[in-house]
Amino acid sequence: MEILAMSRARTIQYCQMKHRHSSIIISISDPNMDYSASPFMTKENHVDAILPLCFCDADHPGIDVYGNETDGSDLMSDDDARKVALFVTERVTDRIIVHCDAGISRSGGVAAAISKWMLNDDNEFFYSGQYRPNMWCYRKTLTALYELETRT
């Protein structure tokens, strides 16, 4: 099992390549951004499913990383986190890709939580220096994964 956090551009490049191993993608967009390209599935790229989500990049209500004013409704919601939990637990795959615009904060937070829950190790996302995990996303996702686990 491999859990990766990537930028939108790198994820689109990934989708344009042939892969032997299956993958699923959690695609995080920003409501204030206009996108010309999105990840896609083909038989050649072995992307089996894509979960689209849309929320701002902020750890709390206030100003997001792009300078936009946000309130609680602009951030990752409990419902978004439940969708992530269901998405990753209902699929058998070799690779989970989480992407946002830069592949650093929101994707880092969600990927770290999935890694903590699935592999009991989130060190890559907190200590490699490559990511700055959004703690709001991390806590929401991890909580949803453990809540789902206790219900089953």
Side-chain angles (χ1 to χ4, degrees), residues 91-102:
R91 288 163 179 78
V92 176
T93 188
D94 298 316
R95 185 175 290 143
I96 297 172
I97 298 169
V98 185
H99 91 78
C100 60
D101 295 331

Side-chain angles (χ1 to χ4, degrees), residues 47-68:
V47 174
D48 297 330
I50 299 173
L51 173 65
L53 298 172
C54 187
F55 49 85
C56 292
D57 190 358
D59 281 353
H60 51 79
I63 304 296
D64 72 5
V65 298
Y66 299 110
N68 299 308

Side-chain angles (χ1 to χ4, degrees), residues 47-150:
V47 174
D48 297 330
I50 299 173
L51 173 65
L53 298 172
C54 187
F55 49 85
C56 292
D57 190 358
D59 281 353
H60 51 79
I63 304 296
D64 72 5
V65 298
Y66 299 110
N68 299 308
E69 183 69 33
T70 64
D71 61 29
S73 67
D74 298 318
L75 307 180
M76 182 183 209
S77 68
D78 291 337
D79 188 51
D80 292 329
R82 278 190 293 276
K83 287 177 184 176
V84 169
L86 287 170
F87 187 73
V88 300
T89 58
E90 291 177 346
R91 288 163 179 78
V92 176
T93 188
D94 298 316
R95 185 175 290 143
I96 297 172
I97 298 169
V98 185
H99 91 78
C100 60
D101 295 331
I104 297 170
S105 183
R106 290 170 292 178
S107 60
V110 172
I114 294 168
S115 185
K116 179 69 173 175
W117 183 77
M118 291 184 114
L119 307 174
N120 198 33
D121 183 11
D122 56 13
N123 287 334
E124 174 186 350
F125 299 99
F126 284 103
Y127 301 112
S128 71
Q130 185 176 351
Y131 308 100
R132 291 184 51 127
N134 178 308
M135 293 308 294
W136 182 280
C137 296
Y138 178 79
R139 287 188 297 272
K140 290 271 185 194
T141 303
L142 198 56
T143 298
L145 286 162
Y146 282 113
E147 285 177 355
L148 182 64
E149 181 179 65
T150 59

